[in-house]
């Protein structure tokens, strides 16, 4: 099939590349000329496992091309995937839909009859219906469907090529048949297919993110209770996760969630529910959000206590800047938020991250950054473990102890093995774990 992918950010780039990889002819479209030039040269503007190889291969094959023209896209294909951003509005917690509205209005001027516009962006429920009405005012015989993405940063190519499920929100048999044809090879490989109305499809994405965010905030709330009671949240998490009704996934106590999805999605969901008169039903999401932000504040408070009540004159080494391991994304990163707070309170902060230093430096240029872990930790009064990169689990605690001023570590991700650190003379502290815990 021929298709366009409009918007070559994180979701759009991965979708365009993967659709070309499974055999479709794809035209990626964006208004950013530099990004389009980079992609056309076969270079990915984002870091994602496996993406560079697939991009180079599909561009070389001719199945994937790029353009800045929506008119060219409308001539090229009748199926158009819209993957533009829907960030939080600057004046409220609602989603900012100006970009998706602008694309729809411009695309409508060029669409051929029989075209299908497929939204992949995360949007408030009711957006597909509203865009369909806008489209109908200008373009004949066209319709809007919704096909939410369920990508995990660091695993996005794998999630696209081998999805657990594909959800489509359609209003006609033609739209469903078109999307079944798009994903035919993935369906043959065993992906579950859910065909529903557009409103339900829109809700599936935000409901899934809200549920996962709730699990994260729940176990972090338990960590604070464990601190007060002298209990161990890591053991508690494993024990309750052994219940098949609960499960262990997303029950990892620590610094909380960040990135470009969970925080803004749960806020936008709550805002839309309030607009629909159902705000009380999802009022708990405000508490989920509050607990998540509170984890960052708790980490800063614990770090300050460990340095004697003040950061003045203290050197703090920060291990991790990205919002999660496997990504160079620092958008709403809990690690970077903690690092910034320590700097503002007088600490001399040095930051390490295997992939995200360029993005972190652009976001917070006042901090010091280095790719060498011993250099970051040299002379440190406190080491903070803030992103769960595997490189940090491989550190030799005895060797690192010779580099720091004080062998004092706060594991805010609860993912380091305490025994070798304490055996090497480190005082290891963690949120929700007693000092004597070994997990």
């Amino acid at each position: 099939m021929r298709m366009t992918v409009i918007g070559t950010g994180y979701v759009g780039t991965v979708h365009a590349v993967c659709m070309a990889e499974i055999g479709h002819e794809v035209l990626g479209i964006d208004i950013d000329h530099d990004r389009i030039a980079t992609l056309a040269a076969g270079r990915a503007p984002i870091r994602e496992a496996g993406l560079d190889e697939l991009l180079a291969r599909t561009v070389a094959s001719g199945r994937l091309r790029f353009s800045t023209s929506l008119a060219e896209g409308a001539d090229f294909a009748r199926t158009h995937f819209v993957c533009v951003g829907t960030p939080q509005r600057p004046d409220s917690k609602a989603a900012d839909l100006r970009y998706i509205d602008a694309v729809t209005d411009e695309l409508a001027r060029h669409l051929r009859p029989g075209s299908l516009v497929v939204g992949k962006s995360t949007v408030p429920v009711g957006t597909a219906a509203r865009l369909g009405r806008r489209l109908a005012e200008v373009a004949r015989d066209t319709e809007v469907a919704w096909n939410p993405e369920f990508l995990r940063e660091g695993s996005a190519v794998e999630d696209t090529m081998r999805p657990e499920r594909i959800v489509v929100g359609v209003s006609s048999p033609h739209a469903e048949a078109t999307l079944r044809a798009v994903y035919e090879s993935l369906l043959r490989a065993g992906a579950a297919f859910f065909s529903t109305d557009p409103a339900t499809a829109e809700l599936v994405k935000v409901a899934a993110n809200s549920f996962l965010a709730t699990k994260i905030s729940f176990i972090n709330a338990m960590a604070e209770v464990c601190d007060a009671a002298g209990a161990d949240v890591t053991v508690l998490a494993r024990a309750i996760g052994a219940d098949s009704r609960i499960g262990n996934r997303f029950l990892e106590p620590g610094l909380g969630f960040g990135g470009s999805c969970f925080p803004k999605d749960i806020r936008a969901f709550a805002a839309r529910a309030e607009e629909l008169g159902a705000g009380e039903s999802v009022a708990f999401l405000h508490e989920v959000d509050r607990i998540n932000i509170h984890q960052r504040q708790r980490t800063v408070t614990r770090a300050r206590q460990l340095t004697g009540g003040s950061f003045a004159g203290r050197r703090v080494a920060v291990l991790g800047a990205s919002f999660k391991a496997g990504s160079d994304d620092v958008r709403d990163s809990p690690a970077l938020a903690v690092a910034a707070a320590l700097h503002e309170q007088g600490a001399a902060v040095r930051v390490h991250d295997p992939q995200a230093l360029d993005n972190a430096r652009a976001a917070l240029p006042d901090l010091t950054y280095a790719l060498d872990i011993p250099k970051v930790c040299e002379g440190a009064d406190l080491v903070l473990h803030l992103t769960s990169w595997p490189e940090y689990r491989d550190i030799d605690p005895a060797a690192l102890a010779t580099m720091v001023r004080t062998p004092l570590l706060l594991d805010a991700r609860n993912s380091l093995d305490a025994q070798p650190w304490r055996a090497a003379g480190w005082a290891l502290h963690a949120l929700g774990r007693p000092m004597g815990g070994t997990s």
Side-chain angles (χ1 to χ4, degrees):
M1 292 180 64
R2 283 189 164 193
M3 63 189 65
T4 70
V5 175
I6 303 167
T8 57
Y10 183 84
V11 172
T13 295
V14 172
H15 189 65
V17 169
C18 291
M19 290 303 97
E21 175 66 12
I22 64 176
H24 300 303
E25 293 183 58
V26 182
L27 181 66
I29 301 173
D30 204 294
I31 60 173
D32 187 329
H33 289 261
D34 292 339
R35 178 176 284 260
I36 288 298
T38 298
L39 287 164
R43 300 194 307 272
I46 58 174
R47 292 192 180 186
E48 185 61 43
L51 184 62
D52 288 333
E53 178 187 350
L54 292 189
L55 174 62
R57 182 162 69 225
T58 52
V59 167
S61 74
R63 292 194 304 274
L64 178 58
R65 298 189 295 108
F66 295 93
S67 172
T68 59
S69 171
L70 283 173
E72 181 184 352
D75 286 338
F76 176 78
R78 283 186 168 86
T79 302
H80 307 277
F81 287 92
V82 179
C83 305
V84 297
T86 54
Q88 185 175 324
R89 286 177 49 171
D91 58 345
S92 75
K93 293 185 176 182
D96 187 345
L97 301 179
R98 75 178 82 174
Y99 307 109
I100 203 164
D101 287 348
V103 164
T104 302
D105 292 345
E106 176 65 18
L107 184 62
R109 296 173 50 232
H110 305 289
L111 286 176
R112 292 183 290 170
S115 293
L116 177 65
V117 177
V118 187
K120 290 197 74 68
S121 307
T122 303
V123 294
V125 61
T127 300
R130 183 177 62 80
L131 294 179
R133 293 190 294 270
R134 289 174 79 124
L135 210 60
E137 293 175 358
V138 179
R140 288 188 304 109
D141 189 27
T142 59
E143 62 180 304
V144 173
W146 222 260
N147 171 215
E149 52 84 14
F150 302 99
L151 305 184
R152 299 166 297 165
E153 289 201 33
S155 308
V157 170
E158 175 73 14
D159 291 341
T160 303
M161 299 298 288
R162 281 168 281 278
E164 292 178 325
R165 80 284 206 197
I166 295 168
V167 177
V168 300
V170 296
S171 302
S172 73
H174 165 72
E176 179 177 337
T178 298
L179 290 169
R180 281 187 179 274
V182 167
Y183 295 118
E184 180 184 3
S185 64
L186 306 183
L187 298 178
R188 285 201 311 266
F193 187 80
F194 296 87
S195 179
T196 183
D197 57 272
T200 302
E202 291 165 330
L203 280 172
V204 168
K205 175 59 185 290
V206 292
N209 280 0
S210 296
F211 183 78
L212 296 175
T214 300
K215 286 189 76 172
I216 295 169
S217 282
F218 170 81
I219 199 61
N220 285 334
M222 294 303 99
E224 187 159 10
V225 175
C226 285
D227 272 337
D232 190 329
V233 70
T234 60
V235 178
L236 183 148
R238 292 198 300 271
I240 65 174
D243 186 326
S244 61
R245 297 169 300 175
I246 297 173
N248 286 111
R249 297 188 67 186
F250 284 80
L251 279 183
E252 289 116 15
L255 191 49
F257 55 81
S260 63
C261 293
F262 279 15
K264 64 102 174 172
D265 286 355
I266 64 172
R267 293 165 192 161
F269 186 20
R272 181 57 176 151
E274 289 169 5
E275 291 173 355
L276 294 171
E280 282 298 312
S281 297
V282 295
F284 68 93
L285 290 179
H286 298 297
E287 191 65 11
V288 168
D289 193 17
R290 186 201 66 77
I291 292 169
N292 188 58
I293 297 300
H294 179 59
Q295 285 302 105
R296 306 175 188 189
Q297 298 163 351
R298 278 222 309 143
T299 301
V300 172
T301 299
R302 178 68 70 84
R304 187 169 56 247
Q305 291 169 346
L306 292 175
T307 56
S310 172
F311 292 120
R314 303 291 187 176
R315 289 185 178 182
V316 179
V318 168
L319 302 181
S322 59
F323 87 96
K324 63 178 286 189
S327 171
D328 65 349
D329 195 343
V330 299
R331 287 175 291 180
D332 201 9
S333 166
L336 215 52
V338 169
L342 267 59
H343 172 74
E344 290 170 0
Q345 294 182 31
V349 180
R350 286 179 288 187
V351 181
H352 175 274
D353 192 281
Q355 292 187 12
L357 289 191
D358 289 343
N359 289 338
R361 189 178 288 110
L364 286 176
D366 292 339
L367 303 184
T368 300
Y369 301 91
L371 270 172
D372 184 67
I373 294 175
K375 185 173 180 62
V376 166
C377 294
E378 185 177 1
D381 298 289
L382 173 67
V383 176
L384 291 182
H385 176 231
L386 302 183
T387 307
S388 297
W389 285 99
E391 287 88 337
Y392 302 146
R393 292 193 291 274
D394 294 336
I395 290 174
D396 180 350
L400 196 64
T402 66
M403 304 297 300
V404 299
R405 181 182 299 167
T406 307
L408 180 61
L409 173 68
L410 175 56
D411 179 12
R413 287 295 181 183
N414 271 308
S415 61
L416 299 178
D417 184 350
Q419 286 184 321
W421 287 88
R422 288 175 177 149
W426 287 79
L428 186 147
H429 298 258
L431 303 180
R433 277 159 63 187
M435 269 293 289
T438 58
S439 56

